[in-house]
Amino acid sequence: MAATAALSTRLRNRRPALNAFRKAVTRKPGRLIGLGIILFFVLLAICGPWFYGSLAVDPNAIYAAPSADHWLGTDFAGSDVFQEVVVGARYVLSTAALAALFTSVLGITVGLLAGYHRGFLDSALMRVTDFVLTIPGLPLLIILSTVWSFGSPWQMGLVLGLTGWGGVARAVRSQALTLRERGFLEAARGLGLPSRHIIVKELLPNIAPYVAMHLLLSVIAFIGAEVGLFFLGLVPFSSTNWGVMLNQAVFSGGAMNSPDALVYLLSPLVCILLLTLGIVLFLDAIDELFNPRLRERA
Amino acid sequence: MIEARGITRTYASHGAFTGARTVQALRGVDFTLPAGGAVSFIGESGCGKTTLGKILTGLETFDGGELVVDGVELSRLKPRRRAEYFRRIQMIHQDPYSALNPTRPIEATLGAPLRMRARQTGADPAKWRERASELLTLVGLEPEAVLPKYPHQLSGGQRQRVVIARALTVDPQVLIADEAVSMIDVSMRLGILGLLRDLRSRLGISLVFITHDVATARYVGEGGELHVIYRGEVVERGLTDDVILTPVHPYTQCLLSAVPIMRGLEEPGPDRTAPTRALDERSPTPGCLFEPRCPFATEECFTTHPTLVPLDAGPASAARTGEAGAGTDTAANTDAETDTGAGTAEHQHACLHPQARRVVGVEIEVGAAST
Amino acid sequence: MTEVQVRDLTIEYQTSAGWLPAVAGASLDLRAGEITGLVGESGSGKSTLALALLNAVPEPGRVAAGSVEVAGVGDVLSLSGKQLRKVRGGELGYVFQASQNSMNPLKTIGKQLLDLGRSHEVKDLRALIARAKDLANRMGMDGDRVLDSYQHQLSGGMRQRIGIVFALVLNAKVLILDEPTTALDMLSQAAVLDIVRTVHDENQLSTLIITHDIGAISEIADRLAVMYGGRIVEDGPLLDVLRRPTHPYTRALIGATARITGDVDAARALPGRPPDLTTVARVGCVFRDRCPFAVTACADTEPPLVVGEAGRRRACHVEPSTVLSGTPGTPAAVGGQP
């Protein structure tokens, strides 16, 4: 008994970050559900395509109702909808994740450098940011789709990310500007600590919750954007994904006026909604994850 | 150690519509801080005290005058070379609540500068933990209890001690304490002041003590000099006890009168006085800066700007303006340079009509009072 | 006449360790025409006690026992809703701890005053403004200018004074100030204290000033109450308490104050740190860990607050004379005693 207690304290001391994470997430059931949903979809995106390497097409069963063979029925070509949902998750999620990664890396770097150094660097970086903010993302994607097929999530993620980091940079910069005058940052400068240390170790952790929240919310926005593009048919259908499914359900299957394709329409929609719900539920835990003071109230 | 000559700092605030306006935060401050010595600056908020502290630690630039640290004039150095000199001067911030990074435990807050310093001096960076414990013990904290904690888990007084320990990580020779106790419970203040005093005597660290509370300046140690600063200008200076007991500048007298009387233990000084009105930076002051608020102002005060002169020079020989004043100033400085800080600082003032007044409270014999 | 009677007030906060008392069995009288200073370190429960006078203890706190009788109103703790709002700001004027920052930055002071008047259903708003101007003028400010200003145009000392104007404009009989001088420099502090005294005298108020600075309060208060660990440990007429502190904590607090006169070396910082909700002793005297006079009884019996001579009360097991003289091995007496 005593030994296990000692062991668990030792483990806790060794992994304070992990322990804080566990505490923050298990505090409220909503957060746990949120994390569960997110993990479920991530697993789906990673493992899904392993199970269904090639989609089973059954030409004899078009728009079949859900059954034991086809859990969510089939589509216009007789493909299994469940398999399509599972396989499509990878493209949707990896695109959103890549886009979020690009935005945050670029946005945080630019924002921190501009906010911390001020002066000429600040002005220069902010002009670039303003320029990026004025690039209209949607028309750019439409034009780019004449060149690229967007078959790989990298291309789509890159374009979404490169056009989307302006807002993050502005927000991070303003946070950095206010924190810059705080005593602990002045002290760090006074001690002569290198700028890199100050920015990465002192400044960044203080805006981390803010950035993380922004990141998760942008994942939702990016999913909406890419699925929207495919749904509207503005980019070529080069892979199986939820957007393509929506498009085909509405424009080829007539899901709006025939009940046959309803399940086909609803499956990707419900997935998007569930994922959004998961992210929103999990957001609640972010503040506590990064703020040692809130963490403690456990 | 530190010698400041005629430090000035002017801020320009240009509104889009209101036109440019300049605020003179510092109008030629000079002082000498010998190794192990102490200089206090007192004044109300907005008098330029904080700007001075930031200039001395290199967090703020100055636009006139000279700052000499260990015999080297800093404005001639390149920023990279300057850093080494500013390393020797460390700031203790006013607000212990914002002076520590809330996301980092104390061990990280102390560890980073300690490792940096070890690399500079060629010591073993891996030994930072021992050094951190040493410093925390020095400032009166228990290392094992404090190191893993986050700032919010400490009281105001404990935090301020950590802030002091952090300043000591880079082996400074001077500490600038900007209102170091004003945000701490009164009951904890003496402990911090005693620590600063200890650091002076045990480590030979000099102290620049910036405060609005004259009483606290008495506790930072022997031989301390007191400079009374008003709107960026030193109006009176001398040994702390001299200035407190025989203040001659009306502004000093107002500041000292404002110190609350502990009734029952003290009674108010017979000449207690107060400014005639609140500070208004916009009113024109061609003569004495304090003239609009001075209870003893005369016609002459409005037109003539007084400069610092020795007290025993008497009102008649007080420098009226310009060259003569500057001459006296430099002479006073060279005097101060030569002494080693203990007990010989000359009492100087910038008032056309200096008159000593007894404004601070007078202690009552408790035995006598209770009968 | 007693304007406010606090009786056996206990206020608890919910923590991970259950409900813990921030204020335990506190009794205090505020008399008409008297300024009472309530002194204590951070975490002593003094602000909580003051908020309870308004029946405004914040979540997760609750009033567990006791009453706050205000003359002409009754027990404030039994009021709620509209009645309570009327009493707050009406009978009881409160100046908040950070009143420098408690104004709306987007509205002029005058507009905020009108808001206050409307929410209290004042019929004659003109008279309200006139009274506010009058108060402001008497506090050494230009009433017209102040009412037309935004908060950023005013200095810290002026904002504090405006806080007092707001607290008094509805003819409050009781004025409560929470740390009125903490963020101010000496000159502003002296001006604000002077104004509090003047306004108090002119309006025959019952004033309660909450502070950690026993020096500042001693300048203007008539009575002194000392709080530690949620208990009132000593109170009485200010002059008497300062001259003859009979509770070890009061004595230590006076001795730990930085003063402009007296022997610098005689002053002693208080050892240890003030307790908070979770660390305060549950059994025995709350001060015993830091007390140089502690005896065995202190460990298991909590000393009751006993009424003594000359309107004084104290909660201590040790004889007053022992505390006054200072036993061997304890800091030298305050105020120049051997």
Side-chain angles (χ1 to χ4, degrees):
Chain A
M1 185 67 205
T4 31
L7 188 70
S8 76
T9 12
R10 238 174 60 213
L11 281 177
R12 207 174 303 145
N13 289 343
R14 201 183 306 158
R15 297 210 181 130
L18 202 71
N19 189 48
F21 181 83
R22 191 179 51 83
K23 249 186 188 169
V25 171
T26 50
R27 174 83 55 82
K28 290 182 185 165
R31 298 171 180 178
L32 211 56
I33 295 172
L35 183 67
I37 294 174
I38 295 174
L39 284 179
F40 170 74
F41 277 102
V42 170
L43 275 175
L44 204 65
I46 295 171
C47 313
W50 297 347
F51 296 126
Y52 308 110
S54 57
L55 289 176
V57 180
D58 183 358
N60 296 323
I62 302 174
Y63 293 131
S67 63
D69 285 345
H70 306 288
W71 292 356
L72 294 172
T74 59
D75 70 353
F76 66 96
S79 305
D80 185 282
V81 173
F82 180 74
Q83 292 183 19
E84 279 187 297
V85 166
V86 170
V87 173
R90 178 177 277 188
Y91 183 92
V92 173
L93 262 76
S94 48
T95 304
L98 282 170
L101 189 74
F102 286 129
T103 16
S104 51
V105 168
L106 271 170
I108 293 170
T109 313
V110 169
L112 282 177
L113 285 177
Y116 180 71
H117 285 291
R118 300 194 296 191
F120 174 73
L121 189 65
D122 183 21
S123 311
L125 286 174
M126 279 303 109
R127 291 300 80 75
V128 177
T129 308
D130 289 344
F131 173 70
V132 169
L133 279 170
T134 54
I135 299 176
L138 190 68
L140 182 75
L141 276 163
I142 296 171
I143 294 168
L144 279 178
S145 65
T146 58
V147 194
W148 275 348
S149 67
F150 290 112
S152 135
W154 282 95
Q155 294 165 334
M156 174 74 91
L158 192 69
V159 175
L160 286 173
L162 283 182
T163 53
W165 59 268
V168 186
R170 277 253 168 228
V172 168
R173 173 180 171 269
S174 69
Q175 293 271 313
L177 276 179
T178 43
L179 282 168
R180 197 179 189 279
E181 305 304 320
R182 293 283 290 278
F184 64 88
L185 279 176
E186 278 196 345
R189 269 182 289 155
L191 288 165
L193 289 167
S195 296
R196 225 189 56 194
H197 169 93
I198 299 180
I199 293 178
V200 177
K201 295 274 178 66
E202 308 274 350
L203 199 51
L204 190 56
N206 280 282
I207 50 175
Y210 191 77
V211 170
M213 223 174 264
H214 206 100
L215 198 73
L216 281 179
L217 286 173
S218 70
V219 167
I220 297 178
F222 287 134
I223 291 177
E226 56 169 314
V227 168
L229 283 169
F230 282 107
F231 171 68
L232 292 173
L234 292 174
V235 284
F237 300 162
S238 47
S239 66
T240 305
N241 73 54
W242 299 348
V244 176
M245 291 172 73
L246 283 176
N247 177 290
Q248 286 172 341
V250 171
F251 299 113
S252 322
M256 291 306 192
N257 37 37
S258 107
D260 285 348
L262 202 60
V263 183
Y264 187 38
L265 174 76
L266 284 181
S267 320
L269 266 186
V270 168
C271 284
I272 293 171
L273 282 177
L274 257 180
L275 185 55
T276 309
L277 179 75
I279 290 176
V280 169
L281 283 175
F282 182 70
L283 271 184
D284 188 39
I286 293 274
D287 241 350
E288 262 172 54
L289 276 181
F290 291 98
N291 189 334
R293 176 172 213 142
L294 292 176
R295 232 186 269 160
E296 188 145 291
R297 300 237 179 95
Chain B
M1 179 63 237
I2 299 187
E3 205 188 322
R5 294 191 208 114
I7 301 275
T8 59
R9 178 72 170 110
T10 308
Y11 291 103
S13 59
H14 24 210
F17 303 105
T18 50
R21 207 167 74 87
T22 58
V23 179
Q24 282 190 281
L26 292 175
R27 312 170 191 240
V29 170
D30 22 41
F31 70 92
T32 307
L33 178 65
V39 173
S40 307
F41 286 89
I42 63 163
E44 66 199 303
S45 29
C47 71
K49 296 173 299 187
T50 300
T51 309
L52 181 66
K54 288 194 174 178
I55 287 176
L56 293 178
T57 44
L59 291 169
E60 185 79 72
T61 55
F62 51 100
D63 33 45
E66 291 183 324
L67 182 60
V68 181
V69 177
D70 285 335
V72 179
E73 212 278 293
L74 291 190
S75 54
R76 298 206 189 95
L77 294 182
K78 293 209 175 79
R80 207 166 269 280
R81 300 264 331 268
R82 224 179 282 164
E84 161 55 22
Y85 290 94
F86 282 129
R87 191 266 307 157
R88 302 178 195 179
I89 308 171
Q90 286 301 321
M91 168 92 97
I92 296 159
H93 282 79
Q94 167 174 16
D95 181 358
Y97 293 86
S98 78
L100 294 173
N101 193 335
T103 60
R104 314 190 82 209
I106 305 306
E107 49 196 355
T109 295
L110 295 179
L114 278 174
R115 283 190 297 267
M116 179 192 72
R117 183 67 189 145
R119 280 191 293 272
Q120 285 169 357
T121 55
D124 181 6
K127 287 200 173 140
W128 69 270
R129 224 189 152 85
E130 289 164 32
R131 182 88 180 104
S133 305
E134 212 176 290
L135 286 173
L136 286 175
T137 316
L138 181 71
V139 298
L141 294 172
E142 248 174 77
E144 289 320 306
V146 171
L147 276 173
K149 288 213 167 108
Y150 283 94
H152 71 268
Q153 294 164 317
L154 304 174
S155 73
Q158 289 176 312
R159 278 183 224 205
Q160 198 61 299
R161 285 172 193 270
V162 172
V163 170
I164 294 172
R166 178 182 60 190
L168 294 175
T169 54
V170 293
D171 311 320
Q173 292 155 33
V174 182
L175 288 181
I176 315 275
D178 181 9
E179 299 283 11
V181 294
S182 70
M183 302 202 47
I184 298 173
D185 260 12
V186 165
S187 59
M188 298 285 122
R189 285 183 187 172
L190 279 190
I192 301 288
L193 292 169
L195 170 62
L196 291 175
R197 185 164 137 168
D198 245 31
L199 293 176
R200 272 189 69 196
S201 60
R202 282 164 60 187
L203 304 184
I205 289 179
S206 340
L207 189 65
V208 175
F209 190 75
I210 299 173
T211 182
H212 65 84
D213 184 357
V214 199
T216 54
R218 294 177 71 224
Y219 293 81
V220 297
E222 301 292 301
E225 244 183 84
L226 189 67
H227 291 227
V228 182
I229 186 166
Y230 181 68
R231 290 177 66 187
E233 195 176 73
V234 174
V235 295
E236 181 162 2
R237 67 182 179 203
L239 283 178
T240 305
D241 287 342
D242 289 353
V243 176
I244 288 177
L245 292 176
T246 52
V248 292
H249 196 286
Y251 180 63
T252 315
Q253 291 162 0
C254 290
L255 278 182
L256 290 168
S257 302
V259 177
I261 298 297
M262 263 236 188
R263 287 189 304 136
L265 304 178
E266 297 164 356
E267 52 190 27
D271 304 323
R272 229 176 169 197
T273 181
T276 53
R277 49 187 224 180
L279 175 63
D280 181 6
E281 299 256 352
R282 284 164 301 184
S283 59
T285 43
C288 175
L289 291 177
F290 189 56
E291 181 269 336
R293 303 171 69 193
C294 182
F296 313 105
T298 62
E299 201 77 355
E300 190 190 11
C301 299
F302 183 70
T303 52
T304 313
H305 184 78
T307 46
L308 277 177
V309 289
L311 178 58
D312 40 28
S317 66
R320 295 297 154 176
T321 183
E323 295 307 307
T328 335
D329 240 354
T330 339
N333 266 329
T334 23
D335 281 354
E337 260 172 63
T338 49
D339 69 51
T340 45
T344 48
E346 191 177 25
H347 193 160
Q348 295 180 322
H349 65 88
C351 180
L352 296 175
H353 311 286
Q355 194 191 333
R357 292 183 181 88
R358 289 189 301 146
V359 291
V360 294
V362 182
E363 247 193 337
I364 312 173
E365 277 301 313
V366 173
S370 54
T371 52
Chain C
M1 193 190 104
T2 306
E3 198 77 31
V4 179
Q5 268 189 13
V6 180
R7 285 292 169 269
D8 301 319
L9 186 64
T10 298
I11 300 161
E12 295 176 337
Y13 279 94
Q14 191 170 29
T15 67
S16 47
W19 290 92
L20 297 177
V23 175
S27 298
L28 187 68
D29 287 350
L30 303 185
R31 302 196 181 97
E34 264 187 6
I35 298 182
T36 306
L38 182 60
V39 181
E41 290 169 281
S42 27
S44 63
K46 56 192 194 301
S47 291
T48 305
L49 173 61
L51 283 172
L53 300 187
L54 293 186
N55 192 0
V57 178
E59 290 288 325
R62 67 170 185 203
V63 176
S67 64
V68 177
E69 295 280 342
V70 176
V73 175
D75 187 1
V76 176
L77 299 181
S78 65
L79 300 180
S80 62
K82 203 170 168 185
Q83 280 176 309
L84 185 59
R85 273 206 305 280
K86 250 188 103 160
V87 174
R88 293 178 188 166
E91 301 287 326
L92 302 169
Y94 198 101
V95 184
F96 284 91
Q97 185 155 14
S99 77
Q100 288 99 325
N101 308 317
S102 65
M103 276 169 258
N104 183 339
L106 302 178
K107 283 184 171 181
T108 61
I109 305 298
K111 283 226 174 78
Q112 294 178 55
L113 188 68
L114 289 176
D115 289 347
L116 177 76
R118 285 192 204 104
S119 66
H120 278 269
E121 292 162 9
V122 174
K123 294 282 175 336
D124 191 353
L125 288 172
R126 259 173 220 286
L128 183 79
I129 294 286
R131 177 161 161 77
K133 273 186 197 168
D134 179 47
L135 276 168
N137 287 335
R138 271 190 287 162
M139 291 188 192
M141 298 184 288
D142 179 350
D144 290 304
R145 218 192 95 193
V146 161
L147 291 188
D148 278 335
S149 312
Y150 292 91
Q151 71 151 38
H152 69 267
Q153 296 168 316
L154 304 166
S155 70
M158 281 169 97
R159 287 182 209 167
Q160 195 68 51
R161 287 180 229 184
I162 289 163
I164 300 172
V165 171
F166 271 70
L168 291 180
V169 74
L170 294 170
N171 289 315
K173 295 307 286 174
V174 179
L175 176 62
I176 303 159
L177 302 115
D178 193 356
E179 299 282 7
T181 61
T182 292
L184 303 179
D185 65 39
M186 276 292 156
L187 285 173
S188 311
Q189 166 174 306
V192 167
L193 289 177
D194 190 44
I195 283 160
V196 170
R197 182 83 235 183
T198 315
V199 176
H200 168 88
D201 288 343
E202 278 176 9
N203 299 289
Q204 278 301 300
L205 303 171
S206 309
T207 303
L208 178 68
I209 304 181
I210 290 130
T211 182
H212 66 95
D213 190 345
I214 201 169
I217 197 72
S218 69
E219 173 100 23
I220 63 163
D222 303 303
R223 290 184 74 79
L224 190 66
V226 181
M227 231 177 143
Y228 187 86
R231 278 83 173 160
I232 291 176
V233 294
E234 177 160 24
D235 81 344
L238 178 114
L239 289 183
D240 198 30
V241 175
L242 284 183
R243 274 184 205 143
R244 300 189 302 114
T246 57
H247 193 284
Y249 179 62
T250 316
R251 196 188 135 103
L253 205 55
I254 296 171
T257 306
R259 287 166 58 195
I260 195 105
T261 59
D263 186 359
V264 170
D265 297 312
R268 288 279 183 288
L270 231 70
R273 64 182 282 194
D276 59 30
L277 269 191
T278 50
T279 56
V280 71
R282 312 272 162 82
V283 190
C285 175
V286 285
F287 185 58
R288 65 168 191 271
D289 292 339
R290 300 167 81 186
C291 183
F293 299 93
V295 294
T296 40
C298 304
D300 40 53
T301 321
E302 185 176 340
L305 188 63
V306 184
V307 180
E309 56 185 36
R312 291 186 60 166
R313 295 185 299 170
R314 69 192 285 268
C316 183
H317 290 306
V318 184
E319 283 302 309
S321 54
T322 316
V323 178
L324 267 171
S325 64
T327 52
T330 58
V334 291
Q337 275 191 349

